[in-house]
Amino acid sequence: MVVSPLIVGLLLAAALMHASWNALLKSDRSDRLATFGVIMTTGTVMGLVAVPFLPMIEPAAWKFIALSVAIHLAYYTFLLKAYSYGDLSHTYPIARGLGPLLVAILSGQLVGEHLRGQDVLGVLLLSCGLVALAFPVRLTAPRPGSRHGLATIFAVLTGVSIAGYILADGLGVRAAGPELGQKIGYIAWLCVVEGPWLLALACARRPAEVWIHLRANWWRGVLGGAIASVGYGIAIYGLATGPMVHVAALRETSVLFGTLIGTLLLGEPFGGRRVAAALVIVSGLVLMNGPAFF
């Protein structure tokens, strides 16, 4: 296999974690910015607890941390906008689906990773399946306040930013040093530097409302933050051990989990076409991460 079975299993678990915290965020209809802020602040606390026990990362990795944080801030902005205008089962597949395609295009130029013929076919199947999965189901009335066009635009921008931070963190964790502790240290420092900035922004804009919201919903952000930090930590570790495009594609199985969560828990439609699209996505992933077929 291109990626070891252990890493495949870990990345599938990370995909489920990613879909889970996104569903927690999407299901918060009162103040998503505050909840997102608590998610990020939880990651900061986890990073601060970890860094004293880890070796220092190499100086060359810090520029990638700075780049990753800048891209992540753009990602958070686009993601919140996408969720404010569209359903999870529409915006999530578009946002996650662009990542592997863009990484496949750029990784050869940036890090010298070259794809097999079946990898190219797998990426194309994955991307086509995700596009099909993202189209709204016919005969379904849009939810109040939804705006399909704006949701799609912000989902695309989210996908571009996802590809950006995958490449930045893939290069950063490889530059952090040869030891496992240094790679984990990169993950911890990234959590620390990302910081509680979104929560500070929410408090600055409407402190009284945020406090009322957090008293009733703090658990959502803390739980989501713990899941998000562990899940993305696994993904970054995967980027240190395998080809970036394969790791990115495996992580995007979160789209399947996200669509199922949106359907089963949030009352969003699925439909037979999306079942077919899910099968196409799985076929693409098998091609990319299985043994050579041709």
Side-chain angles (χ1 to χ4, degrees), residues 61-62 82 107 137 168 250:
W62 286 103
S107 61
V137 177
L250 274 168

Side-chain angles (χ1 to χ4, degrees), residues 19 22-23 26 83 86-93 258-259 261-262 266 268:
N22 272 262
K26 173 63 178 176
Y83 284 175
D87 285 342
L88 177 71
S89 54
H90 167 65
T91 57
Y92 192 83
T259 306
I261 290 172
L266 303 183
E268 299 172 0

Side-chain angles (χ1 to χ4, degrees), residues 30 41 51 64 72 90 103 108 131 157 159 169 180 190 196 198 247 249-250 252 291 294:
S30 59
T41 303
V51 290
F64 294 109
H72 270 91
H90 167 65
V103 171
V131 169
L157 291 173
D169 287 329
L180 175 61
L190 180 63
L198 290 179
V247 173
L250 274 168
E252 301 321 328
F294 55 86

